[in-house]
Amino acid sequence: MKRLAGPLLAAALSGCAGLGSFEPATPPDYTGPTVNVADQAQQASGQLLHVFEMTQVDGRRLSSTSMATVRANQGRGFAVAPVALTNELPVRPARVRLQAATQYAAPILAMTNPTCRVQGEVVFTPEAGKAYRVAGRIAPEACEAWIEDLATHQPVTETVAGKGTKP
């Protein structure tokens, strides 16, 4: 089984790389105000993270917290530490793709433990002068993600929801 971990990780990363290049959340020609939207990676154990992230804005594919965490933790065996990214978004309505996912230190752990991954698009209209974060919940009954106001912790988008970690 141990021989599968390297090929599985390589296949996962090469599949992501083959989808095209990453772009900034703010288009290059935009010159107006921006707001910060932070991804969130919660340490559930030494081997498991719960990741809540923004992966696309208006169809532009973003570099993700999940991929940054995999790159930063290569060679650490069965230990994982989070690497959360942030994005600057224009102050205007946008369609954003959110994701909630379990992320294990090694692929073999994901094959033998409960997992979840849910993605979906929501409309997000940021307000100037505010900061936001992608929040969510990973539980046996549901996996969810939304964007919330960082100061008030109140949701500002609809929730993307899917099947929980219960088998």
Side-chain angles (χ1 to χ4, degrees):
M1 267 309 209
K2 193 172 186 178
R3 291 184 196 168
L4 290 176
L8 286 173
L9 181 59
L13 290 176
S14 67
C16 292
L19 296 175
S21 62
F22 299 110
E23 299 179 66
T26 302
D29 60 342
Y30 181 79
T31 58
T34 61
V35 297
N36 184 273
V37 181
D39 290 346
Q40 191 175 174
Q42 300 171 340
Q43 191 92 45
S45 75
Q47 299 177 331
L48 171 63
L49 301 176
H50 292 174
V51 179
F52 307 101
E53 61 190 345
M54 187 169 43
T55 60
Q56 288 185 9
V57 175
D58 293 329
R60 290 183 306 282
R61 194 162 161 257
L62 308 176
S63 184
S64 74
T65 287
S66 295
M67 291 176 21
T69 298
V70 166
R71 284 190 301 271
N73 285 278
Q74 287 179 341
R76 294 193 65 211
F78 289 100
V80 64
V83 176
L85 302 180
T86 63
N87 288 285
E88 291 294 320
L89 267 67
V91 178
R92 64 182 185 200
R95 290 200 64 77
V96 299
R97 178 172 290 272
L98 302 178
Q99 176 171 281
T102 51
Q103 185 166 348
Y104 286 93
I108 191 76
L109 295 171
M111 294 170 59
T112 58
N113 288 289
T115 63
C116 94
R117 180 172 174 224
V118 62
Q119 296 182 348
E121 286 193 356
V122 297
V123 174
F124 174 47
T125 305
E127 293 180 42
K130 292 193 173 189
Y132 301 91
R133 76 173 175 182
V134 183
R137 177 175 76 109
I138 293 178
E141 62 279 356
C143 291
E144 304 171 321
W146 59 86
I147 296 176
E148 68 182 21
D149 182 300
L150 191 57
T152 66
H153 303 287
Q154 294 301 307
V156 296
T157 66
E158 291 185 13
T159 298
V160 172
K163 182 180 166 289
T165 58
K166 187 164 71 173

